[in-house]
Amino acid sequence: MNRSLARHAHIARLRSQRVPVPDREVLEIIEQVTDSGLVEEIEPLVSRRTGSPCTLPVRALLVGMSLTAARDGGVILFTRVTNLLYFALSDAMRQQLGLRHYPDHDRGFESAYAVVRRRIHSVLDAIDPSPLPKNHRLARRHAEKLLAQADPAELIHRRTLLLRVTDMILAMSLREARPLLNGHWNGSVCVDATVIGTYAKGLAPDSPVTSTDPDAAWYVRTAKHKDPLALDDLAPAQQDKNSAKLQKKADRIKKRLYGYDASLVIARDPEHDGTPMPDGSANPDVVPALVIAFAVEKPSHRPGQVAIEALQQIDDSLPRGYLAGDRAYNDQKPENFQLPVRAMGYEPVYDYAKDQLGVQAGFAGAQLVEGNWYCPSMPDELKNATKDLIDEKIDKQTWINRIRARAAYLFMPKQRPDAEGHRRVMCPAQAGRAQCSLKKHTLGRGIHLPLVDPAPSPAGSPPCCSQKTITVPPESGANLWQPLQYGSEAWQRVYFRLRNSVEGINGYAKDRLYERLEDAGTRRIRGIAAQTLLLAFQLAHANRRKLTAWANSIALHGDRPHRRPTRRRKTKPLGTWTPKGYVTEPEKTEPDE
């Protein structure tokens, strides 16, 4: 009997270790949720017009989710939400949130958990852009029938609501950073899609039933880190016909995951490299890279349009600067990505694939060479400089020299683009960068300027040679055009600092100790609406964690910072990059005595 009592006492002590949440912490979360506008956005979507009122207010649910995310590294499990809301808050806080009392035993917990589950699913149903049921396997024919019967306008409306709600969640993490962004950020961003797993098993493409998360799809990446392979889209007959080819591709698969692509928009100032101050603290004028918008879709489905959906969530009051993306984005149809991006006020910065090098397009005689408009009489060795480097016809330093030599043949902007995106540009001779025999007034400026002597043509000189300026419409070379000269030091500074910010965020938010962004177990509700909603809390937590680490590494009022800045790797000097690597400095040798 005594041993039994002692055992019960030990178990009671273990059960009593539930730590209550301080009222001050809850009040801070309540203030954030109240100021976010989420309650006013969601309540009309889930309000009951008949029957008994819901016992869990929307505000209380959002407070519980925010509190859980703050305490658990951005991860939200609804058993944890239930525990915090109903059994860890003080009576005063539960009363302020309008929460019903449940007894602290198994039946009480299950009752409270059922209320939380019903409430979150009512929210998800209102913003779910998919008509497919989750959590059980559905015959593919029936799933196709449901998709065909769904109202496209209603699905678009729900996706808009989903993006709006998740943007508000993300904006809560940026509230303290907004004054800093307004003062120390020029509006430049990088867009990138990162894969996240879903809490469901993916099935073969020819399976007669769907997965329990029918909104997701397979993500496949090869050992060469190319874009995901479209293995799932092949019909069974086509798979049999190409079985050898598919097997060869499968042998090269490096990563395969069933889930979604999260298109992230990362804010970063490319004019500063984040080098610590002389006293060893972080630079207070360089705000760390932050996620300011995102959207979720199946892997490799509509990457351009999904990125545009994310960009459209950015507050109009924020500036617009450069926009960098990987090669998946400049390979889109211009109307799906490049033209909308420019219409928003962004200036794209791209790298190019092997089949996009050299002369890419033409207009009024001018030639688009690797994203920039050049004089048609620019020497072929300059036009094909990058091709020759890739084909190993020239070395890296020769490529750098030829890229610099291109600048003399570059068309220069005459004025800012108009409201429709038309750009008026000057011929390089007219801009004082070269001398041209067709424009006599440009001759005699000195041997330091190259002499352009266009070959005579029966058709006469093109407009770019016979006129001082030409007006380039936005559609000309739209999928590849960029304002910075490809390969130049200015291009390297902007492109790589923006692209590196994405890699940094991905590694930061996928940390196994915190958000674990890629891990399906951190988002245990299926469907695109649930995955997007829970991902918003994870990204918001990553933003807050990054801002806190940055603030702690800044010296204030002459005091030492609370912690040292993250140790930065030594970067290569600008101007040494080539498409095949970096030019290394020659080793210094001791002079002969």
Side-chain angles (χ1 to χ4, degrees), residues 243-263:
S243 58
K245 184 177 180 181
L246 290 175
Q247 184 59 46
K248 184 178 179 180
K249 286 184 176 181
D251 292 341
R252 294 188 285 112
I253 290 175
K254 181 181 179 181
K255 184 176 183 179
R256 185 181 179 95
L257 183 68
Y258 188 72
Y260 297 90
D261 263 349
S263 292

PDB file of all heavy atoms in Angstrom, residues 243-263:
ATOM      1  N   SER A 243      10.334   3.410 -70.802  1.00  0.00           N
ATOM      2  CA  SER A 243      10.780   2.850 -69.528  1.00  0.00           C
ATOM      3  C   SER A 243      12.287   2.955 -69.353  1.00  0.00           C
ATOM      4  O   SER A 243      12.785   3.247 -68.262  1.00  0.00           O
ATOM      5  CB  SER A 243      10.349   1.382 -69.423  1.00  0.00           C
ATOM      6  OG  SER A 243      10.882   0.637 -70.520  1.00  0.00           O
ATOM      7  N   ALA A 244      13.045   2.746 -70.421  1.00  0.00           N
ATOM      8  CA  ALA A 244      14.507   2.828 -70.311  1.00  0.00           C
ATOM      9  C   ALA A 244      14.939   4.249 -69.978  1.00  0.00           C
ATOM     10  O   ALA A 244      15.814   4.474 -69.137  1.00  0.00           O
ATOM     11  CB  ALA A 244      15.150   2.364 -71.609  1.00  0.00           C
ATOM     12  N   LYS A 245      14.289   5.220 -70.650  1.00  0.00           N
ATOM     13  CA  LYS A 245      14.621   6.618 -70.408  1.00  0.00           C
ATOM     14  C   LYS A 245      14.248   7.012 -68.990  1.00  0.00           C
ATOM     15  O   LYS A 245      14.999   7.704 -68.300  1.00  0.00           O
ATOM     16  CB  LYS A 245      13.883   7.493 -71.419  1.00  0.00           C
ATOM     17  CG  LYS A 245      14.221   8.970 -71.328  1.00  0.00           C
ATOM     18  CD  LYS A 245      13.494   9.746 -72.408  1.00  0.00           C
ATOM     19  CE  LYS A 245      13.825  11.233 -72.323  1.00  0.00           C
ATOM     20  NZ  LYS A 245      13.098  12.005 -73.365  1.00  0.00           N
ATOM     21  N   LEU A 246      13.062   6.558 -68.527  1.00  0.00           N
ATOM     22  CA  LEU A 246      12.619   6.887 -67.182  1.00  0.00           C
ATOM     23  C   LEU A 246      13.533   6.256 -66.139  1.00  0.00           C
ATOM     24  O   LEU A 246      13.820   6.854 -65.107  1.00  0.00           O
ATOM     25  CB  LEU A 246      11.180   6.432 -66.969  1.00  0.00           C
ATOM     26  CG  LEU A 246      10.106   7.216 -67.730  1.00  0.00           C
ATOM     27  CD1 LEU A 246       8.748   6.566 -67.506  1.00  0.00           C
ATOM     28  CD2 LEU A 246      10.076   8.653 -67.282  1.00  0.00           C
ATOM     29  N   GLN A 247      13.982   5.027 -66.425  1.00  0.00           N
ATOM     30  CA  GLN A 247      14.858   4.359 -65.478  1.00  0.00           C
ATOM     31  C   GLN A 247      16.179   5.106 -65.352  1.00  0.00           C
ATOM     32  O   GLN A 247      16.747   5.248 -64.268  1.00  0.00           O
ATOM     33  CB  GLN A 247      15.115   2.915 -65.924  1.00  0.00           C
ATOM     34  CG  GLN A 247      15.954   2.114 -64.926  1.00  0.00           C
ATOM     35  CD  GLN A 247      15.298   2.044 -63.559  1.00  0.00           C
ATOM     36  OE1 GLN A 247      14.106   1.788 -63.456  1.00  0.00           O
ATOM     37  NE2 GLN A 247      16.074   2.294 -62.513  1.00  0.00           N
ATOM     38  N   LYS A 248      16.666   5.611 -66.499  1.00  0.00           N
ATOM     39  CA  LYS A 248      17.901   6.379 -66.480  1.00  0.00           C
ATOM     40  C   LYS A 248      17.741   7.636 -65.644  1.00  0.00           C
ATOM     41  O   LYS A 248      18.615   8.017 -64.873  1.00  0.00           O
ATOM     42  CB  LYS A 248      18.311   6.725 -67.910  1.00  0.00           C
ATOM     43  CG  LYS A 248      19.651   7.442 -68.001  1.00  0.00           C
ATOM     44  CD  LYS A 248      20.013   7.710 -69.448  1.00  0.00           C
ATOM     45  CE  LYS A 248      21.361   8.445 -69.532  1.00  0.00           C
ATOM     46  NZ  LYS A 248      21.732   8.725 -70.940  1.00  0.00           N
ATOM     47  N   LYS A 249      16.564   8.311 -65.795  1.00  0.00           N
ATOM     48  CA  LYS A 249      16.289   9.498 -64.996  1.00  0.00           C
ATOM     49  C   LYS A 249      16.170   9.140 -63.524  1.00  0.00           C
ATOM     50  O   LYS A 249      16.679   9.839 -62.656  1.00  0.00           O
ATOM     51  CB  LYS A 249      15.000  10.177 -65.471  1.00  0.00           C
ATOM     52  CG  LYS A 249      15.144  10.913 -66.798  1.00  0.00           C
ATOM     53  CD  LYS A 249      13.851  11.628 -67.153  1.00  0.00           C
ATOM     54  CE  LYS A 249      14.000  12.449 -68.430  1.00  0.00           C
ATOM     55  NZ  LYS A 249      12.759  13.161 -68.778  1.00  0.00           N
ATOM     56  N   ALA A 250      15.473   8.013 -63.262  1.00  0.00           N
ATOM     57  CA  ALA A 250      15.277   7.612 -61.869  1.00  0.00           C
ATOM     58  C   ALA A 250      16.609   7.316 -61.190  1.00  0.00           C
ATOM     59  O   ALA A 250      16.783   7.561 -59.993  1.00  0.00           O
ATOM     60  CB  ALA A 250      14.366   6.388 -61.804  1.00  0.00           C
ATOM     61  N   ASP A 251      17.576   6.787 -61.976  1.00  0.00           N
ATOM     62  CA  ASP A 251      18.883   6.496 -61.395  1.00  0.00           C
ATOM     63  C   ASP A 251      19.598   7.762 -60.961  1.00  0.00           C
ATOM     64  O   ASP A 251      20.489   7.719 -60.114  1.00  0.00           O
ATOM     65  CB  ASP A 251      19.742   5.731 -62.409  1.00  0.00           C
ATOM     66  CG  ASP A 251      19.206   4.322 -62.665  1.00  0.00           C
ATOM     67  OD1 ASP A 251      18.436   3.835 -61.815  1.00  0.00           O
ATOM     68  OD2 ASP A 251      19.541   3.742 -63.719  1.00  0.00           O
ATOM     69  N   ARG A 252      19.233   8.898 -61.562  1.00  0.00           N
ATOM     70  CA  ARG A 252      19.902  10.157 -61.236  1.00  0.00           C
ATOM     71  C   ARG A 252      19.158  10.949 -60.171  1.00  0.00           C
ATOM     72  O   ARG A 252      19.561  12.052 -59.831  1.00  0.00           O
ATOM     73  CB  ARG A 252      20.031  11.017 -62.503  1.00  0.00           C
ATOM     74  CG  ARG A 252      20.945  10.417 -63.548  1.00  0.00           C
ATOM     75  CD  ARG A 252      21.180  11.400 -64.697  1.00  0.00           C
ATOM     76  NE  ARG A 252      20.024  11.509 -65.576  1.00  0.00           N
ATOM     77  CZ  ARG A 252      19.272  12.590 -65.679  1.00  0.00           C
ATOM     78  NH1 ARG A 252      19.523  13.649 -64.951  1.00  0.00           N
ATOM     79  NH2 ARG A 252      18.257  12.630 -66.514  1.00  0.00           N
ATOM     80  N   ILE A 253      18.052  10.417 -59.675  1.00  0.00           N
ATOM     81  CA  ILE A 253      17.248  11.153 -58.701  1.00  0.00           C
ATOM     82  C   ILE A 253      18.012  11.307 -57.392  1.00  0.00           C
ATOM     83  O   ILE A 253      18.491  10.347 -56.811  1.00  0.00           O
ATOM     84  CB  ILE A 253      15.901  10.448 -58.458  1.00  0.00           C
ATOM     85  CG1 ILE A 253      15.017  10.576 -59.701  1.00  0.00           C
ATOM     86  CG2 ILE A 253      15.193  11.041 -57.240  1.00  0.00           C
ATOM     87  CD1 ILE A 253      13.717   9.814 -59.608  1.00  0.00           C
ATOM     88  N   LYS A 254      18.115  12.550 -56.964  1.00  0.00           N
ATOM     89  CA  LYS A 254      18.794  12.861 -55.713  1.00  0.00           C
ATOM     90  C   LYS A 254      17.806  13.052 -54.573  1.00  0.00           C
ATOM     91  O   LYS A 254      18.102  12.738 -53.423  1.00  0.00           O
ATOM     92  CB  LYS A 254      19.631  14.124 -55.901  1.00  0.00           C
ATOM     93  CG  LYS A 254      20.420  14.544 -54.668  1.00  0.00           C
ATOM     94  CD  LYS A 254      21.209  15.813 -54.941  1.00  0.00           C
ATOM     95  CE  LYS A 254      21.984  16.245 -53.716  1.00  0.00           C
ATOM     96  NZ  LYS A 254      22.743  17.491 -53.955  1.00  0.00           N
ATOM     97  N   LYS A 255      16.638  13.572 -54.900  1.00  0.00           N
ATOM     98  CA  LYS A 255      15.660  13.885 -53.861  1.00  0.00           C
ATOM     99  C   LYS A 255      14.259  13.691 -54.417  1.00  0.00           C
ATOM    100  O   LYS A 255      13.962  14.114 -55.534  1.00  0.00           O
ATOM    101  CB  LYS A 255      15.848  15.335 -53.398  1.00  0.00           C
ATOM    102  CG  LYS A 255      14.954  15.765 -52.259  1.00  0.00           C
ATOM    103  CD  LYS A 255      15.317  17.178 -51.834  1.00  0.00           C
ATOM    104  CE  LYS A 255      14.516  17.651 -50.643  1.00  0.00           C
ATOM    105  NZ  LYS A 255      14.889  19.000 -50.225  1.00  0.00           N
ATOM    106  N   ARG A 256      13.410  13.060 -53.632  1.00  0.00           N
ATOM    107  CA  ARG A 256      12.030  12.828 -54.045  1.00  0.00           C
ATOM    108  C   ARG A 256      11.149  13.047 -52.819  1.00  0.00           C
ATOM    109  O   ARG A 256      11.369  12.450 -51.772  1.00  0.00           O
ATOM    110  CB  ARG A 256      11.866  11.408 -54.586  1.00  0.00           C
ATOM    111  CG  ARG A 256      10.489  11.093 -55.167  1.00  0.00           C
ATOM    112  CD  ARG A 256      10.451   9.651 -55.650  1.00  0.00           C
ATOM    113  NE  ARG A 256       9.153   9.293 -56.192  1.00  0.00           N
ATOM    114  CZ  ARG A 256       8.830   9.328 -57.473  1.00  0.00           C
ATOM    115  NH1 ARG A 256       9.729   9.714 -58.363  1.00  0.00           N
ATOM    116  NH2 ARG A 256       7.628   8.984 -57.894  1.00  0.00           N
ATOM    117  N   LEU A 257      10.162  13.915 -52.951  1.00  0.00           N
ATOM    118  CA  LEU A 257       9.342  14.286 -51.798  1.00  0.00           C
ATOM    119  C   LEU A 257       7.922  14.567 -52.255  1.00  0.00           C
ATOM    120  O   LEU A 257       7.708  15.223 -53.279  1.00  0.00           O
ATOM    121  CB  LEU A 257       9.937  15.527 -51.127  1.00  0.00           C
ATOM    122  CG  LEU A 257       9.260  16.031 -49.848  1.00  0.00           C
ATOM    123  CD1 LEU A 257       9.477  15.037 -48.722  1.00  0.00           C
ATOM    124  CD2 LEU A 257       9.830  17.383 -49.444  1.00  0.00           C
ATOM    125  N   TYR A 258       6.967  14.086 -51.506  1.00  0.00           N
ATOM    126  CA  TYR A 258       5.556  14.361 -51.797  1.00  0.00           C
ATOM    127  C   TYR A 258       5.129  15.560 -50.965  1.00  0.00           C
ATOM    128  O   TYR A 258       5.185  15.535 -49.736  1.00  0.00           O
ATOM    129  CB  TYR A 258       4.694  13.151 -51.462  1.00  0.00           C
ATOM    130  CG  TYR A 258       3.254  13.287 -51.910  1.00  0.00           C
ATOM    131  CD1 TYR A 258       2.919  13.227 -53.262  1.00  0.00           C
ATOM    132  CD2 TYR A 258       2.229  13.479 -50.986  1.00  0.00           C
ATOM    133  CE1 TYR A 258       1.608  13.354 -53.682  1.00  0.00           C
ATOM    134  CE2 TYR A 258       0.910  13.601 -51.404  1.00  0.00           C
ATOM    135  CZ  TYR A 258       0.613  13.543 -52.750  1.00  0.00           C
ATOM    136  OH  TYR A 258      -0.690  13.670 -53.165  1.00  0.00           O
ATOM    137  N   GLY A 259       4.730  16.624 -51.638  1.00  0.00           N
ATOM    138  CA  GLY A 259       4.365  17.823 -50.888  1.00  0.00           C
ATOM    139  C   GLY A 259       4.036  18.995 -51.781  1.00  0.00           C
ATOM    140  O   GLY A 259       3.371  18.845 -52.814  1.00  0.00           O
ATOM    141  N   TYR A 260       4.550  20.174 -51.418  1.00  0.00           N
ATOM    142  CA  TYR A 260       4.211  21.428 -52.094  1.00  0.00           C
ATOM    143  C   TYR A 260       5.471  22.252 -52.328  1.00  0.00           C
ATOM    144  O   TYR A 260       6.510  22.024 -51.701  1.00  0.00           O
ATOM    145  CB  TYR A 260       3.247  22.257 -51.231  1.00  0.00           C
ATOM    146  CG  TYR A 260       1.916  21.615 -50.976  1.00  0.00           C
ATOM    147  CD1 TYR A 260       1.723  20.796 -49.865  1.00  0.00           C
ATOM    148  CD2 TYR A 260       0.841  21.836 -51.835  1.00  0.00           C
ATOM    149  CE1 TYR A 260       0.491  20.212 -49.620  1.00  0.00           C
ATOM    150  CE2 TYR A 260      -0.385  21.253 -51.595  1.00  0.00           C
ATOM    151  CZ  TYR A 260      -0.565  20.444 -50.488  1.00  0.00           C
ATOM    152  OH  TYR A 260      -1.785  19.863 -50.258  1.00  0.00           O
ATOM    153  N   ASP A 261       5.350  23.220 -53.216  1.00  0.00           N
ATOM    154  CA  ASP A 261       6.357  24.267 -53.378  1.00  0.00           C
ATOM    155  C   ASP A 261       5.855  25.531 -52.698  1.00  0.00           C
ATOM    156  O   ASP A 261       4.738  25.979 -52.977  1.00  0.00           O
ATOM    157  CB  ASP A 261       6.599  24.577 -54.866  1.00  0.00           C
ATOM    158  CG  ASP A 261       7.810  23.840 -55.418  1.00  0.00           C
ATOM    159  OD1 ASP A 261       8.567  23.263 -54.616  1.00  0.00           O
ATOM    160  OD2 ASP A 261       7.988  23.831 -56.654  1.00  0.00           O
ATOM    161  N   ALA A 262       6.677  26.088 -51.827  1.00  0.00           N
ATOM    162  CA  ALA A 262       6.366  27.373 -51.221  1.00  0.00           C
ATOM    163  C   ALA A 262       7.201  28.433 -51.929  1.00  0.00           C
ATOM    164  O   ALA A 262       8.430  28.426 -51.845  1.00  0.00           O
ATOM    165  CB  ALA A 262       6.687  27.356 -49.728  1.00  0.00           C
ATOM    166  N   SER A 263       6.541  29.317 -52.665  1.00  0.00           N
ATOM    167  CA  SER A 263       7.234  30.402 -53.366  1.00  0.00           C
ATOM    168  C   SER A 263       7.428  31.556 -52.382  1.00  0.00           C
ATOM    169  O   SER A 263       6.464  32.234 -52.020  1.00  0.00           O
ATOM    170  CB  SER A 263       6.431  30.861 -54.585  1.00  0.00           C
ATOM    171  OG  SER A 263       6.404  29.852 -55.564  1.00  0.00           O
TER     172      SER A 263
END
